[in-house]
Amino acid sequence: MSPVSHGTSESRGEDRRLLRFEPHLPHAYETIWPALTTPDGLRGWLAEADVLERRLGGAVTLRGADGGPELSGQVTAWDVERVVEYTLTGLGRIRFHLEPVGTDSTVIRFSHEYTPNQPGPGLDRPGSEGPGPGLDRPGSAGGRAADADHLAGWHRRFELLESALEGHPAAPPARADQRLAALRASYTPPAAAA
């Protein structure tokens, strides 16, 4: 598995955050597209897709592993084999933009725009300490502290995406996952760690 580069975060006004990742995966975009846009593909690395109308304006409902909460919304961008964006209540807007590199590798330009203090269950089981994306730590003040959880969660999920593309789909990690804990520490700003 190739390493996923660290993601970045930035403020989008007083109440919005924007996270970005650009994983470069050794797979053709035709292989990656179904992993981002079909129930079977999403199940292997992100969430169960209880509803997924594969078109602009289509309905989408994602549910976390082990009976996690349902997040409903809409497909807000759809350009076949190039761009898909889901806007979900409780998670925000997630966008995947595929850019082929040659014939057998692809960069995913990913963004997640969200409100840190917005109550919302994320993709993981309610009441659990499952990882973000979309799930702030209890008592989190938002901003960079929430970003650390979200960035670690997405980073780990992109690793799971790569594993799924290699033929090894896996359930999303529990908060106790050692790899997720290491990622969370790597994204926690020094001032927040004190």
Side-chain angles (χ1 to χ4, degrees), residues 170-186:
R175 178 149 316 278
D177 179 83
Q178 290 180 356
R179 175 66 179 141
L180 186 62
L183 287 167
R184 193 176 298 109
S186 76

Side-chain angles (χ1 to χ4, degrees), residues 92-160:
R93 179 182 58 85
I94 58 173
R95 182 180 185 92
F96 304 90
H97 182 152
L98 303 182
E99 291 188 17
V101 178
T103 58
D104 59 355
S105 121
T106 304
V107 172
I108 301 174
R109 300 202 188 285
F110 170 80
S111 63
H112 176 197
E113 188 171 1
Y114 73 101
T115 304
N117 295 320
Q118 174 186 11
L123 289 174
D124 300 297
R125 203 175 325 142
S128 76
E129 294 189 28
L135 182 65
D136 294 335
R137 271 186 270 190
S140 169
R144 292 203 180 271
D147 283 355
D149 267 359
H150 283 50
L151 287 163
W154 280 115
H155 191 127
R156 184 68 177 119
R157 289 184 191 260
F158 282 121
E159 290 176 345
L160 293 173

Side-chain angles (χ1 to χ4, degrees), residues 33 56 75 77-85 96-97:
W33 181 253
L56 183 61
V75 177
W78 184 268
D79 182 358
V80 176
E81 294 186 353
R82 186 169 169 88
V83 176
V84 64
E85 177 181 281
F96 304 90
H97 182 152

